[in-house]
Amino acid sequence: MDPKTEMTSVDLAALAGELSRYEGAKVDKVYLYGDDLVRFKLRDYDRGRVELLVETGDVKRCHVADPANVPDAPGRPPEFAKTLRSRLAGGEIVDVAQYEFDRILTFDFERPDANTRVVAELFGEGNVAVLDETGEVQRSLETVRLKSRTVAPGSQYEYPQSRINPFDVRYEVLEARMEESDTDVVRTLATQLNMGGLYAEEFCTRAGVEKTLDIADAGEEQYRAIYDVIQRMGERLRSGGLDPRLYLEDDAVVDVTPFPLEEREGMEAEAYDDFNAALDEYFYRLDLTEDEEVDDAPDFEAEIAKKQRIIDQQEGAIDDFDERAAAEREKAEAVYANYDLVADVLSTIQSAREEGRGWAEIDETFLEGADRGIPEAEAVRGVDGSEGTVDVDLDGTVVTLDAGTGPEKNADRLYTEAKRIEEKKEGALAAIENTREELEAVKQRKEQWERDDGDDGDAADDGDGDEDVDEHADVDWLTRQSIPVRQQDYWYDRFRWFETSDGFLVIGGRNADQNEELVKNYMEGRDLFCHAQAHGGPVTLIKATDPSEAARDVTIPEQSRKEAAQFAVSYSSVWKDGRGAGDAYVVTPDQVSKTPESGEYIEKGGFVIRGERDYYRDMPAEVAVGVQVEPETRVIGGPPSAVEPRAETTIRVTPGRYAQNDAAMKCYRRLKERFADEGFVRKVASADLIQEFLPPGESDLLGE
């Protein structure tokens, strides 16, 4: 028999229960191998290192792997892995679940700054999608655009259409599904009750029902027997009463199941204590078998075709963004073009609500008015009391309006939505450029392979020994007895600074003189100016480009803005006051001025901000300090979401009771304990260097 290459819905139901034991594990790093194998490197308080693998290609699997079975870390991480690292590093896994009874697993991660859901689709073409708290797709391995569902960055994630769960179904439903069929029993179970071929046969065997029995000849006796078997197996899955088996044929693995199957009786089998271990062993040995059998050149043509298909889909997404943005602008313009009509409709609703009239009554009033030929009433297409909105036909364009505000605010909301969609288009344009670069890289590898007659020359190790380790290799620097020191001086070292998750430099002043200097000498047109709402904070600049680079049109992502806001709050008087959070705002350079209003005075280091501000409320006063080893060795500090993915190890710090120099010494001692090479810590992470990254005021180290 052919070896199993995809996990079943029953497998995932069994696995989800076992994976719940890893809830609370912290994320260290995330890797992507090729375009279909994702590795989550976790740390668990009780179990230590945990390696979670999710594969969605020809082999579709998910399980925790023995570290000895984990492949070496790949090279430079692609954008998908970078997205996962920026959103998950330092966070913890809080829930693992199977979606309904489909071949889908969901992993929920929590972090103080953001929560993330990772959805692993182990069916069809396979996919992994990264979702934010609202369910919006941030990135996915595959872009899916079907009539039934869409999975694409910027869109709301859509699960496949719900399917029946045979372990939750009532007997009456089972009987009805069976009676509706026109084929035999086993095929009906496999298709109508979502069991798949193997388990449909297994249930028939255990129930003593002939598999090929025609539905016309079956009745309550057979249905009851099958239903009882299904219920017993469902109870075993829910209770965790598993007895996993790995099946072999001619010494090669062919199947793995959460309990022994009568359909596999007589086959050579190995028993395991838990299903996860059985899965790990099965797919590891399956990989070994495939490695021994396959000795062909990489399928470059298939990879090129796949990249081109992704580009085509991304181009379609960009066109979609254009259409959606244009539609929102058209709605906004229709509001202004029909200003008086819109104002009349909205004021009518607002007056009715003030009089205590219900939404149903208001809707009826508009219907009556339309019957009498009143233009404003004829334009109304309906009101929605649950949302407080009204749909109005404006010259053929139906616009949903917020009934509680006026025409201007409704138009502004529509313009803002159009702008938000256009910003997503910018992200899509960046993504398509990345894919084009990846396509070009595949073509170059193909050419190199052909030139070298099968030898791509892509050595994993240059043979120079430990001292010349690839900057992206998965090295456990904490246990290394000797770590090379690679340091470089930068122009911004004298300021407060950090790099955001998206790679943008953020700099802040340490005093009033530096605040003045930053605005006067370093703030440029495409940068953003950020400041805490509290008094006594640093001028904070998000640099769009390096001062030595030519100015260019750059959109600074929302995550970078939030991290800069947290930075501004953490190094302000909020920390000195011992508060846990504060507000910050972001403006453009043209809103910042040293010219006060008539009769006012601006003290040194202060500025006047004119125009609207983008506020970031309740940003946590918390920083992480740690030691970065790759690509250079140095202390880094700032918002945890930005610092933790870049550092080998970090310590989180909050407002507390230890003076700044005492907190720095405590951090130094803790870091020195973590590295086997204590001399390295003394060189690159002395208490004085650490203190430069601690906020002014008293601090506590988390975990003490």
Side-chain angles (χ1 to χ4, degrees):
M1 61 182 288
D2 293 333
K4 171 182 184 173
T5 57
E6 298 184 3
M7 294 177 66
T8 67
S9 294
V10 174
D11 293 339
L12 294 183
L15 177 66
E18 290 192 348
L19 289 181
S20 63
R21 71 183 63 161
Y22 299 103
E23 292 173 5
K26 300 281 188 180
V27 181
D28 274 344
K29 286 186 179 179
V30 185
Y31 305 90
L32 177 63
Y33 299 78
D35 55 12
D36 58 22
L37 175 59
V38 183
R39 168 189 166 199
F40 299 84
K41 184 178 179 183
L42 311 169
R43 287 177 290 111
D44 184 80
Y45 182 79
D46 296 319
R47 298 173 180 83
R49 177 180 170 188
V50 176
E51 298 283 2
L52 174 65
L53 302 182
V54 177
E55 189 168 6
T56 61
D58 293 335
V59 172
K60 293 181 176 64
R61 57 161 171 160
C62 175
H63 57 85
V64 169
D66 186 309
N69 296 347
V70 174
D72 293 336
R76 184 177 297 274
E79 292 304 314
F80 182 84
K82 289 180 180 178
T83 297
L84 278 170
R85 290 184 183 186
S86 68
R87 293 193 64 89
L88 301 184
E92 67 178 44
I93 187 167
V94 296
D95 186 62
V96 182
Q98 180 185 28
Y99 175 71
E100 295 187 346
F101 192 64
D102 216 328
R103 285 178 290 167
I104 297 175
L105 285 177
T106 61
F107 301 86
D108 289 338
F109 298 86
E110 285 188 357
R111 209 170 59 179
D113 61 322
N115 296 335
T116 302
R117 168 168 287 187
V118 176
V119 182
E121 299 181 354
L122 302 180
F123 65 90
E125 295 297 317
N127 203 359
V128 176
V130 185
L131 319 181
D132 66 10
E133 299 96 326
T134 68
E136 183 178 293
V137 179
Q138 303 302 297
R139 196 169 288 276
S140 57
L141 285 180
E142 301 287 346
T143 299
V144 179
R145 295 188 183 277
L146 304 172
K147 288 184 178 179
S148 58
R149 62 192 293 256
T150 297
V151 180
S155 68
Q156 284 291 308
Y157 179 81
E158 297 176 276
Y159 288 99
Q161 185 176 359
S162 296
R163 304 173 69 189
I164 192 170
N165 184 343
F167 299 115
D168 288 341
V169 72
R170 293 179 293 108
Y171 171 76
E172 292 77 12
V173 175
L174 180 143
E175 183 181 40
R177 290 294 183 101
M178 301 296 280
E179 293 290 351
E180 291 170 1
S181 176
D182 59 0
T183 183
D184 56 30
V185 171
V186 72
R187 290 175 183 168
T188 303
L189 290 173
T191 58
Q192 297 299 312
L193 287 163
N194 192 25
M195 293 178 181
L198 174 61
Y199 283 95
E201 293 184 359
E202 181 70 15
F203 294 148
C204 285
T205 300
R206 293 191 180 201
V209 175
E210 177 59 42
K211 302 172 188 175
T212 58
L213 179 67
D214 193 283
I215 284 293
D217 299 324
E220 183 176 0
E221 180 183 352
Q222 289 79 18
Y223 300 157
R224 285 286 183 186
I226 292 171
Y227 182 75
D228 290 343
V229 169
I230 295 172
Q231 292 302 298
R232 287 196 295 272
M233 185 175 287
E235 182 56 36
R236 289 188 67 178
L237 285 172
R238 286 188 287 269
S239 66
L242 309 180
D243 187 12
R245 290 292 186 274
L246 188 152
Y247 292 99
L248 302 96
E249 195 174 74
D250 298 328
D251 295 328
V253 295
V254 293
D255 201 0
V256 58
T257 60
F259 22 65
L261 299 184
E262 293 188 19
E263 288 298 302
R264 298 284 186 254
E265 192 171 351
M267 294 182 63
E268 183 182 356
E270 297 176 2
Y272 285 81
D273 292 333
D274 63 80
F275 188 41
N276 188 86
L279 287 167
D280 180 32
E281 184 65 18
Y282 176 83
F283 284 106
Y284 178 65
R285 285 157 71 171
L286 180 68
D287 281 347
L288 289 179
T289 302
E290 291 175 348
D291 290 344
E292 292 168 359
E293 292 176 353
V294 178
D295 190 25
D296 296 324
D299 191 350
F300 289 114
E301 294 303 328
E303 193 171 355
I304 288 171
K306 181 176 182 179
K307 295 296 183 187
Q308 187 58 57
R309 186 169 66 251
I310 293 172
I311 290 172
D312 293 341
Q313 292 174 329
Q314 290 172 326
E315 288 175 340
I318 290 170
D319 292 340
D320 184 51
F321 285 135
D322 284 335
E323 292 175 5
R324 288 166 54 196
E328 294 302 314
R329 289 188 182 279
E330 181 182 349
K331 292 175 184 177
E333 290 161 5
V335 170
Y336 278 119
N338 297 270
Y339 188 95
D340 291 341
L341 185 150
V342 170
D344 287 344
V345 170
L346 295 175
S347 62
T348 298
I349 296 175
Q350 291 162 13
S351 297
R353 293 297 293 164
E354 289 172 2
E355 294 170 2
R357 297 167 66 186
W359 288 98
E361 184 181 355
I362 294 172
D363 195 25
E364 185 64 29
T365 300
F366 280 120
L367 289 173
E368 293 173 356
D371 291 339
R372 297 199 303 270
I374 300 173
E376 293 81 357
E378 289 179 328
V380 174
R381 291 292 175 265
V383 296
D384 184 347
S386 64
E387 298 292 335
T389 59
V390 56
D391 291 341
V392 184
D393 187 337
L394 304 177
D395 297 331
T397 300
V398 177
V399 183
T400 299
L401 302 171
D402 181 349
T405 62
E408 296 91 346
K409 288 191 176 180
N410 273 286
D412 183 63
R413 174 179 57 81
L414 293 165
Y415 278 126
T416 300
E417 177 63 13
K419 183 179 179 182
R420 186 187 72 84
I421 294 170
E422 288 170 343
E423 290 174 351
K424 288 185 177 296
K425 175 188 172 183
E426 295 301 317
L429 288 170
I432 199 171
E433 286 305 312
N434 288 333
T435 309
R436 285 173 177 150
E437 291 175 4
E438 292 170 1
L439 174 61
E440 187 60 32
V442 175
K443 291 178 178 178
Q444 291 177 4
R445 292 205 312 271
K446 178 175 180 284
E447 293 174 1
Q448 183 66 41
W449 179 281
E450 292 170 347
R451 282 197 302 269
D452 296 345
D453 192 26
D455 179 10
D456 65 6
D458 239 350
D461 188 352
D462 62 6
D464 289 341
D466 287 344
E467 292 302 309
D468 188 17
V469 180
D470 183 86
E471 70 177 80
H472 296 286
D474 185 25
V475 180
D476 186 359
W477 294 107
L478 297 180
T479 61
R480 287 276 295 255
Q481 295 298 318
S482 177
I483 302 175
V485 175
R486 295 166 292 201
Q487 293 180 313
Q488 182 177 344
D489 293 329
Y490 293 92
W491 63 269
Y492 51 77
D493 283 339
R494 61 194 182 90
F495 300 107
R496 297 195 185 280
W497 67 272
F498 77 96
E499 289 182 29
T500 72
S501 301
D502 305 298
F504 288 85
L505 175 66
V506 175
I507 50 178
R510 294 184 179 276
N511 50 48
D513 287 333
Q514 286 195 349
N515 285 346
E516 295 270 355
E517 181 183 0
L518 286 175
V519 171
K520 181 179 179 180
N521 298 334
Y522 292 99
M523 187 171 69
E524 299 172 298
R526 294 294 180 181
D527 298 343
L528 291 176
F529 176 101
C530 180
H531 201 282
Q533 185 69 10
H535 180 72
V539 161
T540 301
L541 300 182
I542 312 175
K543 295 293 297 175
T545 56
D546 190 271
S548 62
E549 294 179 332
R552 52 192 173 92
D553 192 0
V554 175
T555 299
I556 297 175
E558 184 68 9
Q559 178 67 12
S560 291
R561 296 174 183 229
K562 288 181 178 179
E563 288 170 348
Q566 183 178 2
F567 175 87
V569 166
S570 296
Y571 291 91
S572 74
S573 60
V574 169
W575 194 285
K576 290 181 179 179
D577 295 340
R579 289 183 280 153
D583 300 338
Y585 60 84
V586 174
V587 297
T588 55
D590 59 0
Q591 295 178 253
V592 182
S593 173
K594 282 292 291 183
T595 305
E597 299 295 336
S598 177
E600 294 182 353
Y601 167 78
I602 300 176
E603 60 187 20
K604 188 174 185 180
F607 302 88
V608 174
I609 308 298
R610 295 185 171 90
E612 294 186 0
R613 313 177 186 191
D614 289 335
Y615 277 94
Y616 292 84
R617 305 291 186 184
D618 296 321
M619 302 306 298
E622 183 181 48
V623 300
V625 292
V627 180
Q628 182 179 358
V629 180
E630 301 168 302
E632 57 188 304
T633 50
R634 58 183 176 179
V635 177
I636 58 176
S641 60
V643 171
E644 290 174 345
R646 288 185 165 84
E648 184 64 21
T649 183
T650 60
I651 298 167
R652 289 202 183 192
V653 183
T654 59
R657 60 189 184 280
Y658 298 111
Q660 190 185 51
N661 59 335
D662 292 336
M665 181 57 69
K666 285 179 175 291
C667 289
Y668 167 74
R669 289 170 180 165
R670 189 183 290 187
L671 291 171
K672 191 169 70 169
E673 291 171 356
R674 295 180 184 178
F675 282 90
D677 184 359
E678 294 185 3
F680 164 77
V681 179
R682 285 195 297 271
K683 295 174 187 174
V684 303
S686 67
D688 288 340
L689 291 172
I690 292 170
Q691 187 171 340
E692 291 183 7
F693 290 89
L694 294 180
E698 298 178 327
S699 303
D700 277 344
L701 279 61
L702 291 186
E704 281 202 353

